[in-house]
């Protein structure tokens, strides 16, 4: 694996915000990349009408293999969400993209991931070194989440709450939260990157977006999908440790070296590990 391929996986694994942009709207690709999102997902699936699928694929191939002077580095980088059915043509086209020098393909999102075999086939269709996101959107996918997360080459899981709710015919938030917990646990058990949560359906109400993002962080997610540029900074802020959390973590680190206490609370290795994670997310040393 080259360093460039390794960096592709790292970008996908470490992204907090992933912004969707329709594959048949190439006029929005660069704007999406300039939104401040950690990465963009060019969507060939739900955001594209059936009659525009071929047009969208052509637009994606052109965008990821052409120079873009308005973007730092001169290239558009993105993950591509393929279709769950009849994806062989799309994967073949993306494989061709990956062979072009200076291409901007970071990885692939596989929607409606339900079996390890499905993921293995998608991964085998591409060269090594690309980030692969398996989107859990059904009861079957959730039941197989640990096996899916354990497939060699899967970078992280994602959650599609709307499709999952439709599949199990449930609207209660506790059902969706049960799924969220299982996806987080499956990711941790497989020792892959923390998953990305389903996007907030609210665009204009920033308080709702922030609250949902903070809740995802508290559940153990490592990021959240976005469907509008206005959500990006709200999600970033919700996932970033607060100044109070950073101050607490710094105090804890200062006590490292055995069991101790801070404000009447025992400080041992698990607490120190949590403090280190907070400082790592905050970019502190």
């Amino acid at each position: 694996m080259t360093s460039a391929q390794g960096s592709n996986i790292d970008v996908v694994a470490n992204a907090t915000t992933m912004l969707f942009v329709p594959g048949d709207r190439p006029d929005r690709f660069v704007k999406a990349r300039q939104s401040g999102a950690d990465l963009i997902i060019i969507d060939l699936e739900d955001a594209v009408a059936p009659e525009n699928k071929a047009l969208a694929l052509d637009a994606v191939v052109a965008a990821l293999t052409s120079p873009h002077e308005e973007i730092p580095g001169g290239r558009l980088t993105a993950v591509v969400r393929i279709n769950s059915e009849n994806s062989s043509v799309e994967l073949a086209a993306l494989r061709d993209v990956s062979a072009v020098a200076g291409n901007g393909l970071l990885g692939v999102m596989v929607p409606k991931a339900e079996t390890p075999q499905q993921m293995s086939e998608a991964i085998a269709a591409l060269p090594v070194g690309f980030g692969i996101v398996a989107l859990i959107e059904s009861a079957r996918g959730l039941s197989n989440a640990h096996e899916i997360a354990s497939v060699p080459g899967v970078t992280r899981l994602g959650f599609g709450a709307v499709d999952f709710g439709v599949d199990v015919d449930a609207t209660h938030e506790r059902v969706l939260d049960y799924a969220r917990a299982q996806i987080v646990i499956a990711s941790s058990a497989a020792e892959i990157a923390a998953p990305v949560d389903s996007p907030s359906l609210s665009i204009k109400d920033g308080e709702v977006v922030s609250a949902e993002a903070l809740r995802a962080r508290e559940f153990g997610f490592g990021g959240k999908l976005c469907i509008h540029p206005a959500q990006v900074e709200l999600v970033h802020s919700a996932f970033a440790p607060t100044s109070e959390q950073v101050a607490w973590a710094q105090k804890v680190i200062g006590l490292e070296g055995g069991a101790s206490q801070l404000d009447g609370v025992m400080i041992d290795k698990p607490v120190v590990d949590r403090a280190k994670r907070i400082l790592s997310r905050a970019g502190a040393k």
Side-chain angles (χ1 to χ4, degrees):
M1 182 186 301
T2 66
S3 59
Q5 290 171 330
S7 65
N8 290 340
I9 295 175
D10 291 341
V11 170
V12 175
N14 296 322
T16 300
T17 50
M18 299 183 178
L19 175 63
F20 281 111
V21 59
D24 58 350
R25 293 299 305 270
D27 56 306
R28 296 183 182 179
F29 292 175
V30 171
K31 292 179 181 179
R33 191 68 196 90
Q34 295 171 332
S35 67
D38 293 324
L39 61 80
I40 64 172
I41 303 172
I42 303 180
D43 192 7
L44 295 176
E45 195 211 18
D46 288 348
V48 180
E51 63 270 20
N52 290 337
K53 298 286 188 182
L55 176 67
L57 180 58
D58 289 343
V60 169
V61 170
L64 295 180
T65 55
S66 303
H68 296 271
E69 295 181 357
E70 61 271 55
I71 300 176
R75 65 170 184 158
L76 178 74
T77 57
V79 166
V80 177
R81 177 162 76 165
I82 60 175
N83 284 277
S84 58
E85 298 179 357
N86 302 318
S87 61
S88 58
V89 172
E90 296 166 350
L91 288 169
L94 294 178
R95 186 178 184 90
D96 290 341
V97 167
S98 72
V100 176
N103 74 84
L105 181 65
L106 297 174
V108 171
M109 173 176 280
V110 179
K112 299 176 178 62
E114 295 191 329
T115 68
Q117 292 77 15
Q118 176 189 3
M119 294 308 303
S120 295
E121 290 172 2
I123 292 167
L126 295 168
V128 298
F130 290 95
I132 305 295
V133 182
L135 199 56
I136 305 299
E137 302 181 270
S138 67
R140 189 182 184 197
L142 184 65
S143 296
N144 294 327
H146 177 69
E147 288 76 14
I148 291 170
S150 299
V151 172
V154 170
T155 305
R156 66 197 304 188
L157 303 182
F159 181 42
V162 174
D163 284 293
F164 180 84
V166 171
D167 186 62
V168 301
D169 194 22
T171 57
H172 201 291
E173 193 66 23
R174 289 185 181 178
V175 176
L176 301 180
D177 285 347
Y178 171 81
R180 286 187 170 93
Q182 294 302 308
I183 290 169
V184 169
I185 292 168
S187 299
S188 182
E191 298 183 340
I192 62 173
V196 284
D197 190 27
S198 190
S200 173
L201 298 182
S202 177
I203 295 175
K204 295 184 178 180
D205 193 333
E207 291 186 1
V208 171
V209 176
S210 295
E212 291 184 5
L214 178 59
R215 198 154 175 267
R217 167 82 285 276
E218 291 173 341
F219 257 83
F221 282 85
K224 194 168 179 66
L225 300 168
C226 300
I227 55 175
H228 192 279
Q231 297 177 331
V232 171
E233 184 53 39
L234 296 170
V235 172
H236 270 305
S237 297
F239 272 78
T242 65
S243 57
E244 290 80 8
Q245 289 173 326
V246 171
W248 172 84
Q250 290 171 335
K251 289 180 181 178
V252 169
I253 295 301
L255 297 173
E256 186 177 4
S260 185
Q261 64 173 337
L262 176 65
D263 299 329
V265 177
M266 176 176 285
I267 304 299
D268 54 7
K269 186 179 183 304
V271 177
V272 172
D273 290 344
R274 181 178 295 278
K276 289 180 177 178
R277 288 183 181 178
I278 289 173
L279 295 179
S280 176
R281 293 204 310 273
K285 301 296 184 182

